[in-house]
Amino acid sequence: MKIIIPENLDLIAITALNKPDFKFNIEVFQYLISLLTWIPNQNREYTDQKFIPLNSSILQKNGIRDFPLYRDYLEEAGIWHWQPYKPGEKSRAFRLNEKYQTTVRISTPPNTKFWLRIKRNEANVARASNRHKHLTKWFNEHFTIDADKAEVFAQRKYIEEVAHGDPAAVNRYNSNMLAIANIKDKSYRLTSDSRGRFYSPLTNVSTDLRQFISYNGERLTNIDIVNSQPFLSTVLFSPSFWQSNNREQISVNDISYQIRRKLLSEFEAVQPSNNEFAKINMAKCFNPTPSISFPIYWRSNLSQIDTLLTPSITNIPIFPNNNSTSTLMLTKNSVSLYSSDIQAYSFKTEQGEFYEYFQEKLSEVDSSFGKMRRSEIKTIFYESIFGKYIPVHQLKPNMAVFHKAFPNVSKFFRSLKFKQHNVLACALQSIEAELVIMRVAKKYSEAFPNRPIYTIHDSIVVEESLAQEATKIFRQELKRSLGRIPKLTSECWG
């Protein structure tokens, strides 16, 4: 944790001129203001959000008992304001007033009683699972950043963005400077979440600053899957994914229990009367030998499979437990694996050409889509498959194009977010973590136990000298875990 204060904000002078009418600690004010930059830097989910949520229960654990008094003082002093509370939200969200939306001063907290408590609580939170030891051990004294060059680069970029009128320039600059300071000072916050994702300085630092990072003086190379999210989504089309006795390839049992339950509950949520979806229900069955209930052709080559959801009832054991299993029962109105849109979607994602293909489809509707950047096309895709469930006739034009171009793909994904729209995204992130962290990175660690390995969600990062060997391992694990090898790309930093 760092103290992060706007350059034009003098908390000592303000509290001296307008003394709070309660017993206060200036360090609490510093901490609260710092959180508005610290949280977006540590959690990319909040990077582009104007208001940052502050959880009062967490603040209390950090010894801040009178948060409402501090909150109201900062508002009355014209330093910050907050969004009106909305039902269903866990925390109230805050934002600095425009006057103080400037570049910041970053400093290391002193070893006072208050800051030592913050550091201790932060250390308890920032503990990655033991499952990630093959990653955490490489954030050591040899993991470095050329801070001087990185700061100059960040400053030049900030000046350019301000000149172009980018409203997010100052927030991006502050986040970059904080990331540089954290790596320089070895202030590593290594955590994992319920989806199995691993967070580190590499996931927090912006892409264009990674060129200044090295290990023991050697340049690093990033190897990733091209259009990874679309590609990983095709895993859900495979019948083998839903089989609990599948030991080699990634299956539903490899994703976290919480997300597995949510994913399967989506099938329960689909009502038989809703003719947009197949009738998909959960049921209980009793089967002393669960493997017998797998249709023979589901264990054969995928080319022999007629349909993903067979016309007759098919029992697929998901959670074997003695003589009882929860069973996924899929009935009529099937989605054919040979549907042209599923075949095109699967092929283009494997070839790494999905976004270009999708842009062509969008351009057929409106030529202006042809001028869009790749990032904008990706946003449309993410909105289409990860956004909240909306009836087809109410879809926004952009999302309607995806549904029209890939009707069976859309139908299947929409059935997985009927009740909880974030389930599909969480499931794919869990699959990604199992593949990249628990399989590819682990296999590399076994092959090269004395060489560093890092991950950035869908990619691995290794020393430049071992990039070819790492790519070979990546491809082997993709073949073993998913049965397919998508296009990989590599980028040498520095």
Side-chain angles (χ1 to χ4, degrees):
M1 181 72 193
K2 300 286 186 182
I3 299 177
I4 313 158
I5 306 296
E7 289 185 338
N8 63 345
L9 176 59
D10 189 338
L11 287 168
I12 295 177
I14 290 175
T15 53
L17 183 64
N18 183 19
K19 189 173 180 179
D21 58 3
F22 60 94
K23 186 178 180 180
F24 73 96
N25 182 348
I26 193 69
E27 293 176 331
V28 175
F29 282 123
Q30 293 174 335
Y31 174 64
L32 293 174
I33 297 300
S34 298
L35 285 176
L36 300 188
T37 301
W38 177 261
I39 291 175
N41 177 264
Q42 298 299 309
N43 191 337
R44 299 296 285 271
E45 177 184 348
Y46 300 112
T47 300
D48 297 322
Q49 291 192 19
K50 295 180 179 179
F51 289 85
I52 305 303
L54 300 182
N55 189 296
S56 58
S57 62
I58 294 178
L59 295 177
Q60 286 186 13
K61 290 179 182 178
N62 286 332
I64 304 174
R65 304 296 180 186
D66 300 322
F67 173 61
L69 297 176
Y70 287 93
R71 176 198 66 196
D72 293 345
Y73 178 86
L74 289 172
E75 184 196 29
E76 292 168 2
I79 296 174
W80 75 7
H81 61 285
W82 62 80
Q83 276 183 325
Y85 179 77
K86 298 178 182 178
E89 291 184 345
K90 296 181 179 179
S91 308
R92 196 183 295 273
F94 298 82
R95 185 187 189 193
L96 290 173
N97 286 341
E98 187 174 356
K99 177 182 178 180
Y100 298 110
Q101 293 174 24
T102 66
T103 54
V104 296
R105 301 187 307 272
I106 301 173
S107 60
T108 301
N111 290 325
T112 61
K113 182 179 179 180
F114 173 80
W115 282 110
L116 286 174
R117 181 201 293 254
I118 297 296
K119 292 177 183 177
R120 184 168 59 252
N121 290 345
E122 178 70 17
N124 289 335
V125 171
R127 284 179 180 170
S129 164
N130 288 334
R131 300 167 73 237
H132 300 105
K133 283 184 177 179
H134 60 297
L135 301 177
T136 58
K137 67 181 180 180
W138 299 111
F139 289 95
N140 53 34
E141 69 276 8
H142 299 298
F143 180 78
T144 59
I145 187 169
D146 189 330
D148 293 337
K149 289 183 179 179
E151 289 173 359
V152 169
F153 180 91
Q155 289 164 357
R156 288 177 178 172
K157 184 177 179 181
Y158 169 64
I159 293 171
E160 292 175 1
E161 291 177 343
V162 170
H164 286 90
D166 187 341
V170 67
N171 291 338
R172 196 176 296 115
Y173 172 76
N174 290 338
S175 183
N176 283 339
M177 296 302 286
L178 178 57
I180 294 169
N182 284 334
I183 298 176
K184 178 182 178 181
D185 299 341
K186 311 300 181 189
S187 299
Y188 302 141
R189 189 175 190 269
L190 309 174
T191 62
S192 57
D193 61 21
S194 62
R195 292 157 289 184
R197 276 192 154 189
F198 177 71
Y199 299 90
S200 72
L202 284 178
T203 59
N204 296 331
V205 72
S206 64
T207 304
D208 46 15
L209 287 180
R210 292 171 184 161
Q211 61 183 303
F212 303 106
I213 296 174
S214 61
Y215 186 85
N216 202 25
E218 183 171 352
R219 296 195 302 179
L220 299 173
T221 296
N222 182 72
I223 305 165
D224 71 343
I225 302 171
V226 180
N227 51 227
S228 63
Q229 290 298 302
F231 171 75
L232 291 175
S233 71
T234 64
V235 174
L236 302 177
F237 297 151
S238 172
S240 63
F241 173 78
W242 304 98
Q243 295 182 5
S244 61
N245 67 345
N246 182 5
R247 299 187 182 280
E248 280 291 309
Q249 294 192 353
I250 291 177
S251 74
V252 69
N253 280 350
D254 290 314
I255 64 179
S256 72
Y257 176 78
Q258 296 93 330
I259 295 175
R260 187 162 71 227
R261 293 303 304 173
K262 288 181 180 180
L263 181 63
L264 295 174
S265 74
E266 285 300 313
F267 288 113
E268 292 181 308
V270 179
Q271 301 300 317
S273 59
N274 188 334
N275 59 15
E276 181 184 348
F277 304 124
K279 179 183 177 184
I280 306 175
N281 297 311
M282 287 294 294
K284 290 282 186 180
C285 77
F286 297 92
N287 188 344
T289 53
S291 62
I292 292 176
S293 65
F294 290 121
I296 297 297
Y297 57 78
W298 275 38
R299 299 199 298 271
S300 61
N301 190 285
L302 281 178
S303 64
Q304 300 174 20
I305 302 175
D306 266 343
T307 57
L308 173 61
L309 312 182
T310 60
S312 58
I313 294 177
T314 302
N315 294 337
I316 311 170
I318 299 299
F319 304 121
N321 182 14
N322 299 327
N323 292 336
S324 175
T325 60
S326 290
T327 310
L328 189 65
M329 298 183 68
L330 307 176
T331 64
K332 50 194 173 178
N333 297 333
S334 61
V335 176
S336 172
L337 281 175
Y338 293 117
S339 298
S340 59
D341 64 305
I342 287 184
Q343 291 293 303
Y345 182 86
S346 300
F347 178 74
K348 291 297 183 181
T349 58
E350 187 172 332
Q351 296 298 308
E353 301 170 352
F354 171 74
Y355 290 120
E356 291 76 12
Y357 180 72
F358 184 36
Q359 187 166 21
E360 291 176 9
K361 291 293 183 180
L362 289 167
S363 299
E364 292 174 3
V365 177
D366 186 337
S367 59
S368 64
F369 287 114
K371 302 176 183 178
M372 282 187 170
R373 298 188 299 272
R374 181 185 175 90
S375 60
E376 294 173 307
I377 300 300
K378 288 177 68 173
T379 298
I380 295 174
F381 169 75
Y382 288 145
E383 288 178 347
S384 299
I385 73 166
F386 297 141
K388 291 184 178 181
Y389 171 81
I390 302 172
V392 173
H393 66 279
Q394 295 179 9
L395 289 174
K396 293 191 297 184
N398 293 352
M399 298 168 68
V401 172
F402 180 83
H403 183 75
K404 182 178 180 180
F406 306 102
N408 288 290
V409 174
S410 176
K411 175 183 175 182
F412 182 71
F413 289 154
R414 285 165 60 76
S415 74
L416 295 180
K417 59 179 185 178
F418 185 73
K419 186 167 64 172
Q420 302 175 82
H421 79 277
N422 66 338
V423 170
L424 179 57
C426 291
L428 295 187
Q429 290 171 359
S430 196
I431 292 170
E432 170 194 89
E434 170 66 20
L435 171 67
V436 177
I437 296 174
M438 304 313 300
R439 298 193 180 210
V440 177
K442 271 202 168 182
K443 183 63 69 173
Y444 182 89
S445 294
E446 292 169 1
F448 302 98
N450 298 317
R451 307 298 285 270
I453 173 75
Y454 305 98
T455 62
I456 308 176
H457 301 321
D458 65 345
S459 65
I460 61 172
V461 180
V462 300
E463 295 163 298
E464 181 184 16
S465 59
L466 286 174
Q468 288 188 349
E469 291 297 326
T471 300
K472 182 179 178 181
I473 291 173
F474 207 150
R475 290 174 60 85
Q476 289 172 343
E477 285 304 302
L478 280 163
K479 181 65 175 178
R480 183 179 73 88
S481 302
L482 303 181
R484 301 161 62 204
I485 303 177
K487 183 178 179 179
L488 300 179
T489 185
S490 63
E491 176 188 11
C492 182
W493 297 343

